[in-house]
Amino acid sequence: MSFLPVRAAALAAAGILAISGAADARMGHRPHAPSKAKLTITLDGTLGPVISGSDPAGLDGSTATVTIVASESLKPYKTTAKSASYHIPAGGITVDFDGTEYESTSKSTMVVTLGKKADTLTLNASLDVEGFKLQVSDVTSLAGGSWPKTVLEHPTLFSPTPQNLSEPSSNFTYNVLGENTELGVTGTADNSAGKS
C-alpha cells in the first residue's frame, strides 16, 4: 500500500477545515434566501504532532493545499439551536499533494457549530485512494463569531479571512488498516465566493 496517496487523502480531511457558518432561525428574522454562489475554502496546513495512535501513514509533519467547493444553496439535513449539518457532494473536495490532485468520490458530512469562544466545523468523510477506503474525521476551530447565524439555513462565508488554525483545538483522525490516528493541525484557512 502506498502511503503517499493515503497522506494526501487524509490531508483532504484537514482541508475540510473551513467550510460553513450557522443560523438561528428562532431569533425572529425571516429565513435568509441563499445566493447561488459557490463557496471556495482553501487550507494550507501542516499535520502534527501525533496526539494518539502510531501514525502508520506517516502523516506527522505533512503539508498540502486542500480546496473545498460548496454551493450556498445547500440546505441542512439536520439543525439544532446552534448547529447545522450538511452533505457535501462527491467531488466537492480536492487536495493537491506533491503535484498530484485527489478528489472526493463520495458524499461527506459537515457540521457547523457556533460557540462563544470558538466556532467549529466537524467533518466525516470516506475517501477512495487507489482502491483503499480511508475514513477521516476532522475538527476545525475558528474564532467565535466567524460565521453569521444564517449558516443554520445554508453554507456561507466565515470572517475574518484568512484565519490561523492551531492544534490541539483543530485536529483530525484517520483510520487506515483498522488503526485510528489523531493529529493536530496548524496552518491557515481562507474562503471566497464566486458565481456558480
Side-chain angles (χ1 to χ4, degrees):
M1 174 180 178
S2 170
F3 285 130
L4 181 63
V6 170
R7 180 177 292 130
L11 284 169
I16 290 170
L17 293 166
I19 207 176
S20 42
D24 192 352
R26 304 182 331 180
M27 296 301 288
H29 67 277
R30 293 180 179 179
H32 181 264
S35 72
K36 294 183 179 180
K38 290 286 186 181
L39 302 180
T40 300
I41 298 99
T42 303
L43 170 75
D44 288 312
T46 301
L47 300 180
V50 175
I51 297 172
S52 64
S54 62
D55 191 23
L59 301 182
D60 188 13
S62 298
T63 61
T65 298
V66 180
T67 304
I68 303 95
V69 178
S71 173
E72 279 196 337
S73 64
L74 286 178
K75 295 181 180 180
Y77 67 88
K78 179 181 178 181
T79 59
T80 70
K82 293 187 177 181
S83 71
S85 301
Y86 292 95
H87 285 137
I88 303 300
I93 301 166
T94 59
V95 57
D96 189 305
F97 183 83
D98 208 17
T100 303
E101 186 174 276
Y102 301 88
E103 184 176 277
S104 61
T105 57
S106 61
K107 181 171 59 180
S108 301
T109 300
M110 180 179 71
V111 181
V112 180
T113 304
L114 301 183
K116 292 182 179 179
K117 294 184 178 180
D119 288 351
T120 59
L121 174 73
T122 302
L123 167 77
N124 290 288
S126 177
L127 304 174
D128 292 328
V129 181
E130 291 189 350
F132 292 93
K133 183 172 287 188
L134 186 71
Q135 300 288 338
V136 292
S137 178
D138 176 79
V139 177
T140 300
S141 180
L142 297 177
S146 291
W147 283 290
K149 292 181 178 180
T150 52
V151 75
L152 289 181
E153 301 165 18
H154 57 83
T156 191
L157 295 170
F158 64 81
S159 180
T161 184
Q163 288 194 40
N164 291 327
L165 306 174
S166 62
E167 59 80 23
S169 57
S170 294
N171 59 79
F172 82 92
T173 300
Y174 72 92
N175 182 295
V176 62
L177 301 177
E179 181 176 346
N180 285 321
T181 297
E182 182 182 4
L183 298 98
V185 177
T186 56
T188 59
D190 196 355
N191 67 174
S192 61
K195 295 181 180 179
S196 63

